[in-house]
Amino acid sequence: MKLFQIEEPEGGPTDPDAPGAAIGIDASRGPAVVAVAVGGNAVVVEDRAGFELMLTVPGAAAGVAAWRTLFEGARLRAERALARPVTHAVVAAGAASDAGSPDLVEGARQAGIEILRVVGVGDLPRADAPALAAAILAEDLAPRPDSASFR
């Protein structure tokens, strides 16, 4: 019997304290849409067949638990697609009440996501879908291991 050892390309695990990926979430209507950007190019992240999640956007009267469920699902979808942790997000909100919602921010925190910014859909470039524009903004705002905001 022969045993094989498989290692990461750089020879060891990545820093567990390093920030994960930042995603964009369109929580303005219907099912939420999740996107990620690399180098300013954004793409919507979809679930694999057989592993679909319904990412229901909470209503105006929804509490922290409903927002947490949304962010847990968005995080899971993105982590499955990226094969890396997701720790930050920019959220495109539909209503002004959602944009200033403490329940939204607390729900994200409980799901392990730090909100970088909540923006109204009307404040995003019209040329891009809200999730794509939010993902590009998330990439720009995400902390870097060499930045002063990373500890």
Side-chain angles (χ1 to χ4, degrees):
M1 174 191 300
K2 293 184 178 184
L3 298 177
F4 294 94
Q5 181 175 349
I6 300 173
E7 294 184 16
E8 294 296 322
E10 293 296 319
T14 59
D15 181 1
D17 295 325
I23 59 174
I25 302 171
D26 177 5
S28 64
R29 59 182 164 30
V33 178
V34 180
V36 65
V38 176
N41 297 307
V43 63
V44 171
V45 178
E46 299 288 342
D47 292 318
R48 237 178 45 218
F51 294 92
E52 295 88 355
L53 296 171
M54 178 52 85
L55 300 180
T56 304
V57 176
V64 172
W67 284 107
R68 183 186 68 238
T69 300
L70 170 67
F71 286 109
E72 286 172 344
R75 180 179 177 189
L76 181 60
R77 177 179 288 175
E79 287 179 345
R80 284 177 177 167
L82 298 171
R84 65 181 279 216
V86 170
T87 56
H88 295 80
V90 168
V91 178
S97 61
D98 290 342
S101 170
D103 290 343
L104 180 152
V105 175
E106 179 60 19
R109 188 195 65 74
Q110 288 182 12
I113 294 179
E114 181 181 334
I115 298 295
L116 297 168
R117 187 172 294 165
V118 180
V119 294
V121 173
D123 297 329
L124 293 169
R126 294 202 185 277
D128 292 330
L132 300 177
I136 293 168
L137 183 57
E139 180 186 29
D140 291 342
L141 297 175
R144 308 280 188 261
D146 57 345
S147 72
S149 64
F150 174 68
R151 303 232 186 272

mmCIF file of all heavy atoms in Angstrom, residues 25-29 57 67 90-101 104 117-124 130 134:
data_model
loop_
_atom_site.group_PDB
_atom_site.id
_atom_site.type_symbol
_atom_site.label_atom_id
_atom_site.label_comp_id
_atom_site.label_asym_id
_atom_site.label_seq_id
_atom_site.Cartn_x
_atom_site.Cartn_y
_atom_site.Cartn_z
ATOM 1 N N ILE A 25 -24.273 41.448 -2.463
ATOM 2 C CA ILE A 25 -25.576 40.800 -2.322
ATOM 3 C C ILE A 25 -26.664 41.797 -2.721
ATOM 4 O O ILE A 25 -26.733 42.896 -2.175
ATOM 5 C CB ILE A 25 -25.826 40.334 -0.871
ATOM 6 C CG1 ILE A 25 -24.730 39.374 -0.413
ATOM 7 C CG2 ILE A 25 -27.215 39.694 -0.742
ATOM 8 C CD1 ILE A 25 -24.775 39.037 1.068
ATOM 9 N N ASP A 26 -27.485 41.403 -3.684
ATOM 10 C CA ASP A 26 -28.641 42.212 -4.050
ATOM 11 C C ASP A 26 -29.818 41.726 -3.217
ATOM 12 O O ASP A 26 -30.379 40.667 -3.475
ATOM 13 C CB ASP A 26 -28.941 42.077 -5.542
ATOM 14 C CG ASP A 26 -30.189 42.848 -5.965
ATOM 15 O OD1 ASP A 26 -30.778 43.563 -5.122
ATOM 16 O OD2 ASP A 26 -30.569 42.734 -7.142
ATOM 17 N N ALA A 27 -30.142 42.498 -2.180
ATOM 18 C CA ALA A 27 -31.262 42.167 -1.302
ATOM 19 C C ALA A 27 -32.389 43.170 -1.505
ATOM 20 O O ALA A 27 -33.088 43.538 -0.574
ATOM 21 C CB ALA A 27 -30.797 42.160 0.152
ATOM 22 N N SER A 28 -32.550 43.609 -2.737
ATOM 23 C CA SER A 28 -33.543 44.647 -3.024
ATOM 24 C C SER A 28 -34.920 44.090 -3.354
ATOM 25 O O SER A 28 -35.912 44.779 -3.205
ATOM 26 C CB SER A 28 -33.064 45.543 -4.164
ATOM 27 O OG SER A 28 -32.934 44.809 -5.366
ATOM 28 N N ARG A 29 -34.990 42.851 -3.801
ATOM 29 C CA ARG A 29 -36.271 42.272 -4.196
ATOM 30 C C ARG A 29 -36.119 40.778 -4.395
ATOM 31 O O ARG A 29 -35.017 40.266 -4.523
ATOM 32 C CB ARG A 29 -36.774 42.912 -5.479
ATOM 33 C CG ARG A 29 -35.777 42.714 -6.618
ATOM 34 C CD ARG A 29 -36.223 43.373 -7.890
ATOM 35 N NE ARG A 29 -35.291 43.578 -8.934
ATOM 36 C CZ ARG A 29 -34.216 42.881 -9.269
ATOM 37 N NH1 ARG A 29 -33.853 41.865 -8.580
ATOM 38 N NH2 ARG A 29 -33.468 43.201 -10.293
ATOM 39 N N VAL A 57 -35.423 37.350 0.530
ATOM 40 C CA VAL A 57 -35.151 38.673 1.093
ATOM 41 C C VAL A 57 -36.219 38.957 2.144
ATOM 42 O O VAL A 57 -37.404 38.902 1.845
ATOM 43 C CB VAL A 57 -35.148 39.761 0.003
ATOM 44 C CG1 VAL A 57 -34.970 41.144 0.625
ATOM 45 C CG2 VAL A 57 -34.066 39.485 -1.019
ATOM 46 N N TRP A 67 -32.811 38.000 8.664
ATOM 47 C CA TRP A 67 -31.616 38.510 7.992
ATOM 48 C C TRP A 67 -30.443 37.548 8.166
ATOM 49 O O TRP A 67 -29.684 37.318 7.233
ATOM 50 C CB TRP A 67 -31.260 39.910 8.490
ATOM 51 C CG TRP A 67 -32.145 40.972 7.933
ATOM 52 C CD1 TRP A 67 -33.130 41.655 8.587
ATOM 53 C CD2 TRP A 67 -32.143 41.454 6.581
ATOM 54 N NE1 TRP A 67 -33.738 42.536 7.721
ATOM 55 C CE2 TRP A 67 -33.154 42.438 6.496
ATOM 56 C CE3 TRP A 67 -31.400 41.156 5.448
ATOM 57 C CZ2 TRP A 67 -33.428 43.132 5.314
ATOM 58 C CZ3 TRP A 67 -31.675 41.853 4.277
ATOM 59 C CH2 TRP A 67 -32.677 42.813 4.208
ATOM 60 N N VAL A 90 -21.001 43.760 0.662
ATOM 61 C CA VAL A 90 -21.708 45.004 0.382
ATOM 62 C C VAL A 90 -23.115 44.568 -0.013
ATOM 63 O O VAL A 90 -23.286 43.649 -0.816
ATOM 64 C CB VAL A 90 -21.047 45.813 -0.752
ATOM 65 C CG1 VAL A 90 -21.953 46.940 -1.217
ATOM 66 C CG2 VAL A 90 -19.708 46.362 -0.297
ATOM 67 N N VAL A 91 -24.112 45.224 0.576
ATOM 68 C CA VAL A 91 -25.499 44.856 0.333
ATOM 69 C C VAL A 91 -26.199 45.970 -0.433
ATOM 70 O O VAL A 91 -26.133 47.141 -0.038
ATOM 71 C CB VAL A 91 -26.243 44.595 1.659
ATOM 72 C CG1 VAL A 91 -27.705 44.251 1.404
ATOM 73 C CG2 VAL A 91 -25.557 43.480 2.440
ATOM 74 N N ALA A 92 -26.853 45.594 -1.520
ATOM 75 C CA ALA A 92 -27.714 46.521 -2.259
ATOM 76 C C ALA A 92 -29.122 46.330 -1.720
ATOM 77 O O ALA A 92 -29.718 45.266 -1.876
ATOM 78 C CB ALA A 92 -27.653 46.222 -3.749
ATOM 79 N N ALA A 93 -29.634 47.354 -1.039
ATOM 80 C CA ALA A 93 -30.957 47.287 -0.420
ATOM 81 C C ALA A 93 -31.966 48.025 -1.280
ATOM 82 O O ALA A 93 -31.626 49.010 -1.937
ATOM 83 C CB ALA A 93 -30.905 47.884 0.981
ATOM 84 N N GLY A 94 -33.204 47.561 -1.237
ATOM 85 C CA GLY A 94 -34.238 48.176 -2.048
ATOM 86 C C GLY A 94 -34.861 49.378 -1.400
ATOM 87 O O GLY A 94 -35.007 50.426 -2.007
ATOM 88 N N ALA A 95 -35.223 49.271 -0.144
ATOM 89 C CA ALA A 95 -35.905 50.358 0.561
ATOM 90 C C ALA A 95 -34.930 51.102 1.452
ATOM 91 O O ALA A 95 -33.973 50.525 1.961
ATOM 92 C CB ALA A 95 -37.044 49.781 1.399
ATOM 93 N N ALA A 96 -35.208 52.377 1.663
ATOM 94 C CA ALA A 96 -34.363 53.182 2.546
ATOM 95 C C ALA A 96 -34.364 52.602 3.957
ATOM 96 O O ALA A 96 -33.357 52.643 4.659
ATOM 97 C CB ALA A 96 -34.857 54.628 2.567
ATOM 98 N N SER A 97 -35.486 51.991 4.358
ATOM 99 C CA SER A 97 -35.551 51.398 5.698
ATOM 100 C C SER A 97 -34.607 50.208 5.814
ATOM 101 O O SER A 97 -34.042 49.959 6.869
ATOM 102 C CB SER A 97 -36.983 50.971 6.023
ATOM 103 O OG SER A 97 -37.433 50.003 5.099
ATOM 104 N N ASP A 98 -34.432 49.440 4.733
ATOM 105 C CA ASP A 98 -33.491 48.320 4.752
ATOM 106 C C ASP A 98 -32.058 48.827 4.853
ATOM 107 O O ASP A 98 -31.228 48.236 5.530
ATOM 108 C CB ASP A 98 -33.625 47.463 3.490
ATOM 109 C CG ASP A 98 -34.924 46.670 3.463
ATOM 110 O OD1 ASP A 98 -35.545 46.501 4.527
ATOM 111 O OD2 ASP A 98 -35.307 46.243 2.366
ATOM 112 N N ALA A 99 -31.748 49.897 4.148
ATOM 113 C CA ALA A 99 -30.386 50.417 4.129
ATOM 114 C C ALA A 99 -29.927 50.852 5.513
ATOM 115 O O ALA A 99 -28.755 50.764 5.834
ATOM 116 C CB ALA A 99 -30.276 51.583 3.146
ATOM 117 N N GLY A 100 -30.845 51.311 6.347
ATOM 118 C CA GLY A 100 -30.470 51.743 7.687
ATOM 119 C C GLY A 100 -30.874 50.751 8.754
ATOM 120 O O GLY A 100 -30.891 51.083 9.941
ATOM 121 N N SER A 101 -31.208 49.536 8.373
ATOM 122 C CA SER A 101 -31.735 48.550 9.306
ATOM 123 C C SER A 101 -30.665 47.965 10.225
ATOM 124 O O SER A 101 -29.728 47.313 9.751
ATOM 125 C CB SER A 101 -32.401 47.409 8.534
ATOM 126 O OG SER A 101 -32.707 46.340 9.398
ATOM 127 N N LEU A 104 -30.558 44.144 9.807
ATOM 128 C CA LEU A 104 -29.756 43.667 8.684
ATOM 129 C C LEU A 104 -28.290 43.509 9.121
ATOM 130 O O LEU A 104 -27.682 42.459 8.919
ATOM 131 C CB LEU A 104 -29.873 44.637 7.515
ATOM 132 C CG LEU A 104 -29.110 44.334 6.232
ATOM 133 C CD1 LEU A 104 -29.841 44.936 5.051
ATOM 134 C CD2 LEU A 104 -27.692 44.839 6.255
ATOM 135 N N ARG A 117 -20.681 47.996 3.510
ATOM 136 C CA ARG A 117 -21.551 49.124 3.188
ATOM 137 C C ARG A 117 -22.917 48.582 2.766
ATOM 138 O O ARG A 117 -23.002 47.524 2.152
ATOM 139 C CB ARG A 117 -20.956 49.940 2.049
ATOM 140 C CG ARG A 117 -21.733 51.238 1.790
ATOM 141 C CD ARG A 117 -21.049 52.143 0.816
ATOM 142 N NE ARG A 117 -19.791 52.633 1.396
ATOM 143 C CZ ARG A 117 -18.832 53.203 0.686
ATOM 144 N NH1 ARG A 117 -18.974 53.361 -0.614
ATOM 145 N NH2 ARG A 117 -17.731 53.628 1.257
ATOM 146 N N VAL A 118 -23.955 49.324 3.096
ATOM 147 C CA VAL A 118 -25.297 49.051 2.590
ATOM 148 C C VAL A 118 -25.660 50.236 1.710
ATOM 149 O O VAL A 118 -25.603 51.382 2.154
ATOM 150 C CB VAL A 118 -26.322 48.896 3.735
ATOM 151 C CG1 VAL A 118 -27.707 48.621 3.162
ATOM 152 C CG2 VAL A 118 -25.915 47.776 4.685
ATOM 153 N N VAL A 119 -25.968 49.954 0.460
ATOM 154 C CA VAL A 119 -26.289 51.023 -0.488
ATOM 155 C C VAL A 119 -27.667 50.790 -1.089
ATOM 156 O O VAL A 119 -28.089 49.654 -1.272
ATOM 157 C CB VAL A 119 -25.237 51.114 -1.631
ATOM 158 C CG1 VAL A 119 -23.887 51.528 -1.103
ATOM 159 C CG2 VAL A 119 -25.128 49.809 -2.377
ATOM 160 N N GLY A 120 -28.342 51.871 -1.388
ATOM 161 C CA GLY A 120 -29.617 51.769 -2.082
ATOM 162 C C GLY A 120 -29.370 51.409 -3.536
ATOM 163 O O GLY A 120 -28.358 51.809 -4.123
ATOM 164 N N VAL A 121 -30.255 50.649 -4.112
ATOM 165 C CA VAL A 121 -30.106 50.241 -5.509
ATOM 166 C C VAL A 121 -29.980 51.463 -6.419
ATOM 167 O O VAL A 121 -29.211 51.469 -7.375
ATOM 168 C CB VAL A 121 -31.285 49.339 -5.942
ATOM 169 C CG1 VAL A 121 -31.242 49.052 -7.426
ATOM 170 C CG2 VAL A 121 -31.256 48.037 -5.168
ATOM 171 N N GLY A 122 -30.695 52.521 -6.095
ATOM 172 C CA GLY A 122 -30.643 53.740 -6.907
ATOM 173 C C GLY A 122 -29.298 54.448 -6.853
ATOM 174 O O GLY A 122 -28.996 55.282 -7.703
ATOM 175 N N ASP A 123 -28.471 54.119 -5.858
ATOM 176 C CA ASP A 123 -27.152 54.746 -5.727
ATOM 177 C C ASP A 123 -26.056 53.984 -6.469
ATOM 178 O O ASP A 123 -24.905 54.407 -6.460
ATOM 179 C CB ASP A 123 -26.765 54.863 -4.249
ATOM 180 C CG ASP A 123 -27.718 55.774 -3.491
ATOM 181 O OD1 ASP A 123 -28.253 56.716 -4.105
ATOM 182 O OD2 ASP A 123 -27.928 55.531 -2.287
ATOM 183 N N LEU A 124 -26.415 52.866 -7.081
ATOM 184 C CA LEU A 124 -25.441 52.053 -7.818
ATOM 185 C C LEU A 124 -25.481 52.416 -9.299
ATOM 186 O O LEU A 124 -26.500 52.894 -9.798
ATOM 187 C CB LEU A 124 -25.752 50.565 -7.637
ATOM 188 C CG LEU A 124 -25.560 50.028 -6.228
ATOM 189 C CD1 LEU A 124 -26.158 48.626 -6.113
ATOM 190 C CD2 LEU A 124 -24.095 50.012 -5.843
ATOM 191 N N PRO A 130 -27.541 45.158 -9.756
ATOM 192 C CA PRO A 130 -27.162 45.552 -8.390
ATOM 193 C C PRO A 130 -26.162 44.611 -7.715
ATOM 194 O O PRO A 130 -25.232 45.075 -7.052
ATOM 195 C CB PRO A 130 -28.497 45.567 -7.651
ATOM 196 C CG PRO A 130 -29.504 45.861 -8.708
ATOM 197 C CD PRO A 130 -28.984 45.172 -9.937
ATOM 198 N N ALA A 134 -22.502 45.790 -6.498
ATOM 199 C CA ALA A 134 -22.165 45.616 -5.081
ATOM 200 C C ALA A 134 -20.904 44.765 -4.922
ATOM 201 O O ALA A 134 -20.073 45.033 -4.053
ATOM 202 C CB ALA A 134 -23.340 44.983 -4.337
#
